[in-house]
Amino acid sequence: AQSVTQPDIHITVSEGASLELRCNYSYGATPYLFWYVQSPGQGLQLLLKYFSGDTLVQGIKGFEAEFKRSQSSFNLRKPSVHWSDAAEYFCAVGGGEKLTFGTGTRLTIIP
Amino acid sequence: GAGVSQSPSNKVTEKGKDVELRCDPISGHTALYWYRQSLGQGLEFLIYFQGNSAPDKSGLPSDRFSAERTGGSVSTLTIQRTQQEDSAVYLCASSPDRATNEKLFFGSGTQLSVL
């Protein structure tokens, strides 16, 4: 069965600092991997996705993620966070109709 | 409409009552999904529609939960005899196709509170 682990429930970073959110997955074949962001009171918005090809994928809002098959990881990174990046971030894996989500990482930004 | 619309945005009900949650997907999207987001949990898959049929109902937590979709458009998620553990945000998403979840668009959700 497919599964996603986001080991960090809550992360706090200073504005302007770099960010890395961890995601590990379990999937029987080549996975489709996603990162979504959920701002308070909002629906989920797709940040980026990996299907195949280049293992470093670029997304919206300056985010990127790297697929590492050997580590079953798909970590999300941003070189310099902005206060508006404060939100809940979800990693997801899927290969067909159903996406399986992690439990999310809440990101707090301090001035 | 411009996006996935869910109604109501908030619903407070008493234990034992039935509730209906509605989802209006983006026009032309053939695939529709229901997820549940409980406090401190990830998104839990409930059910998926392709057109009006539901090939995957594996996530429905009990027989108190049911869903239908009519005209390949609007979907209703019904919870009968609600329990306090049903309290959660229920999210709907739609997609132009079912193949890869590539273009999954989420609504803002219905916050259900069972007292």
Side-chain angles (χ1 to χ4, degrees), chain B residues 2-115:
Chain B
V4 177
S5 177
Q6 291 187 247
S7 60
S9 55
N10 281 282
K11 176 71 177 178
V12 180
T13 190
E14 294 179 348
K15 177 182 174 181
K17 295 285 180 66
D18 298 351
V19 295
E20 284 190 353
L21 312 180
R22 177 186 169 105
C23 173
D24 281 276
I26 293 173
S27 178
H29 282 194
T30 59
L32 186 147
Y33 306 76
W34 283 99
Y35 284 85
R36 179 169 71 173
Q37 185 178 18
S38 304
L39 194 63
Q41 305 288 318
L43 278 72
E44 175 189 10
F45 171 82
L46 297 179
I47 189 169
Y48 150 76
F49 287 92
Q50 179 62 30
N52 291 335
S53 65
D56 191 347
K57 304 178 182 179
S58 62
L60 293 177
S62 76
D63 59 7
R64 296 187 294 105
F65 287 72
S66 63
E68 64 175 13
R69 189 180 186 193
T70 55
S73 180
V74 172
S75 176
T76 302
L77 177 69
T78 301
I79 308 173
Q80 296 178 309
R81 305 181 302 282
T82 52
Q83 304 294 312
Q84 288 182 333
E85 61 263 28
D86 299 335
S87 297
V89 176
Y90 289 82
L91 291 168
C92 176
S94 70
S95 174
D97 62 70
R98 70 184 178 109
T100 63
N101 312 115
E102 179 175 354
K103 298 170 186 172
L104 210 59
F105 296 84
F106 281 85
S108 298
T110 294
Q111 173 75 61
L112 175 65
S113 300
V114 182
L115 305 179

Side-chain angles (χ1 to χ4, degrees), chain A residues 74-89:
Chain A
F74 189 58
N75 294 349
L76 181 72
R77 301 194 294 249
K78 187 170 184 178
S80 176
V81 298
H82 186 263
W83 64 267
S84 60
D85 294 326
E88 186 103 22
Y89 291 80

